[in-house]
Amino acid sequence: MLLDRDGTLVEDVPFNGDPEKVRPVPGARAALDRLRAAGLRLGVVTNQSGLARGYFTESQMHAVHARIEQLLGPFDTWQVCPHDDSDGCGCRKPAPGLVHAAAAELGTVATRCVMVGDIGRDVSAALAAGATAVLVPTPVTRPQEVAAAPWLAADLPGAVAEILRRQHAVIPAAGPSRTRGTVLVVRADSAGDVLVTGPAIRAVAAGADRVVMLCGPRGRAAAELLPGVDAIVEHRLPWIDPTPGPVDPADMHDLTGRLAALRIDEAVIFTSYHQSSLPLALLLRLAGVPRVAAISDDYPGSLLDLRHRVPTGVPEPERALSLAAAAGYGLPTGDEPGLRLRPEVHRPPARLGTPGYVVLHPGSSVPSRACPPELAVRIARSLADAGHRVVVTGTPDERELTAAVAGSGGLDLGGRTGLAELAAVIAGAGAVVVGNTGPAHLAAAFGVPVVSLFAPTVPFGQWGPYRVPTVRLGDATAGCRDTRAAACPVPGHPCLAGIDPADVVEALRLLGVPADPVRTVSAGVGPAGATVVSASGGSGR
Ligand SMILES: [Zn+2]
């Protein structure tokens, strides 16, 4: 658990070198003691450019930190960036250096850390390191930074309460020992949805004899990549499909028959927050399934044996894990809750050369989340100009788009990869530049950093790349925010159209993705020693 100092733990006194001016934020001591009692180790991660600017000395700063510990209790690590923006260091937030350093000193990795801060720089540093970020805004936090945050809390005690609640929610409920039989897991929508359900399916698999997955045709290829799935039943569910056909009684009888033949002991229905689990629960009852678990805000009557409820804003993988936990299933020790694929993923095509290229995936099956084609062309050109090797990927439907994008500097793989081959291409990438769509989750499964061109039609905190170094770009306040629109309702697709290709290049630098050495030499541009330009603004501290 990492915390920013000024404005988060203590009131922000600009360039403070005086211990007498230390004022903890309300409730800080009790909140931190809750975390300590829960066994969490605490670190402070703070920009102190006052050192570089000569506003206070290092010993004055240490006196301030001693006073903070006197008032708030001990911290397990203090990570301080003494530099100014002009120093171009790798530690000054929004760079992720301090977050990595704090994690290492705590004996862990950034993806297992939660970071709480009060400005966009704190959030950006945490996300760029792959940590979870919580923003506790103050009256001076910029509205754009509030809108872009994956997770908002009203104050520090509120942030701590929700962090502990989410941690507790994925621990399996204690109860009578589970029947280890055949468990049906369901996720009936697209590839990305299936991928983010992977951790929960691994949890179920750890407690079941056999896991059968029911998925739709658009999720089939992703289901085949998931560890823990023993068999797949593919069937289109018309109440989930975005372009649904009519409900055909014969088709429903067919599905019920297929489900009955599986002799299911228990079913766990995973859904997104705007989908209903109840129509399938009814069919499962008709198929004789004795125990059905699902998330449902709607009253389920006797359709569910376990009705689970989750507050909004929880990342999809954790939302699903909390349902599995409520049903008694938890990830085995050592299995982190991140996304993961079966190990036997294909090798990248040989003509891609050495790993380290940048994958640019401009399209999406949902148009409102796709990168505007004209912008994708400019991004490809900027990446190539900056010395990156660009590989452009897309579905067979997107060939025209990928050809146009690759035409300005890149290798066109549009329509030439199935999902498994795409996964292999992404596995060899230094980073992936992509909207809110399936390949972002493939990247997360390999720990490949993501530059997320994120249309705010759904919450970033729920659908952003999970536990992987990420830079979020795009206007989080655009008119399409929280509309779940499939086609952008705002002329000109402004949430993404306004992205500057230079910000994509800068995002790769922040993520530590080097330009291709060969191209770099010929271009005469080196990735090292470049000046840090803050992508997120933030205060001057
Ligand atoms: Zn620094």
Side-chain angles (χ1 to χ4, degrees), residues 346-360 388-393 406 410-414 416-417 420-431 516 518-519:
H346 298 67
R347 289 164 158 265
R351 66 196 176 104
L352 287 181
T354 52
Y357 43 84
V358 173
V359 167
L360 173 57
H388 292 285
R389 267 185 299 145
V390 180
V391 174
V392 184
T393 55
L411 175 67
D412 181 12
L413 291 186
R416 295 169 178 84
T417 59
E421 295 76 27
L422 178 59
V425 170
I426 285 172
D516 186 71
V518 180
R519 294 200 57 152

Side-chain angles (χ1 to χ4, degrees), residues 15-175:
F15 306 116
N16 182 25
D18 180 0
E20 294 304 311
K21 291 184 181 160
V22 170
R23 299 275 179 279
V25 301
R29 177 69 201 236
L32 295 171
D33 283 346
R34 282 192 73 190
L35 294 168
R36 294 181 181 112
L40 291 166
R41 282 158 297 163
L42 308 184
V44 182
V45 167
T46 178
N47 284 354
Q48 293 299 333
S49 65
L51 287 169
R53 302 183 198 188
Y55 293 148
F56 52 81
T57 66
E58 206 172 325
S59 68
Q60 284 174 314
M61 183 186 75
H62 287 310
V64 168
H65 291 179
R67 178 66 178 154
I68 291 174
E69 291 208 325
Q70 191 181 31
L71 293 168
L72 295 181
F75 292 91
D76 301 292
T77 180
W78 284 84
Q79 296 293 329
V80 177
C81 168
H83 307 109
D84 204 345
D85 273 335
S86 58
D87 291 333
C89 69
C91 45
R92 181 166 168 78
K93 296 177 282 186
L98 292 182
V99 178
H100 285 303
E105 196 158 310
L106 297 175
T108 186
V109 290
T111 51
R112 299 191 68 204
C113 294
V114 179
M115 161 105 180
V116 181
D118 66 317
I119 59 172
R121 280 178 183 246
D122 300 316
V123 170
S124 298
L127 296 181
T132 300
V134 188
L135 184 74
V136 179
T138 71
V140 299
T141 308
R142 295 174 182 178
Q144 276 278 356
E145 297 178 352
V146 175
W151 176 348
L152 282 175
D155 51 25
L156 184 57
V160 164
E162 178 62 7
I163 287 164
L164 293 173
R165 191 202 65 75
R166 289 192 190 181
Q167 188 185 40
H168 187 74
V170 298
I171 298 168

Side-chain angles (χ1 to χ4, degrees), residues 375-525:
L375 173 62
V377 168
R378 289 192 292 131
I379 289 174
R381 190 178 304 134
S382 294
L383 291 173
D385 289 348
H388 292 285
R389 267 185 299 145
V390 180
V391 174
V392 184
T393 55
T395 63
D397 294 347
E398 296 162 355
R399 275 188 170 148
E400 202 176 318
L401 169 66
T402 60
V405 173
S408 70
L411 175 67
D412 181 12
L413 291 186
R416 295 169 178 84
T417 59
L419 196 73
E421 295 76 27
L422 178 59
V425 170
I426 285 172
V432 177
V433 181
V434 62
N436 175 24
T437 187
H441 304 302
L442 292 175
F446 294 115
V448 170
V450 179
V451 179
S452 177
L453 315 176
F454 196 91
T457 52
V458 293
F460 181 73
Q462 274 180 258
W463 286 103
Y466 187 63
R467 288 197 176 209
V468 66
T470 300
V471 172
R472 176 186 186 170
L473 296 178
D475 180 2
T477 66
C480 61
R481 184 179 173 90
D482 295 336
T483 59
R484 298 204 313 262
C488 185
V490 189
H493 202 5
C495 64
L496 298 182
I499 292 172
D500 183 345
D503 290 343
V504 177
V505 175
E506 167 57 19
L508 293 175
R509 202 203 55 75
L510 200 67
L511 292 165
V513 180
D516 186 71
V518 180
R519 294 200 57 152
T520 300
V521 170
S522 60
V525 181

Side-chain angles (χ1 to χ4, degrees), residues 170 196-197 199-200 314-322 337 339 462 464 466:
V170 298
V196 297
T197 311
V314 177
E316 284 287 312
E318 285 176 30
R319 192 173 182 277
L321 270 171
S322 76
L339 309 191
Q462 274 180 258
Y466 187 63

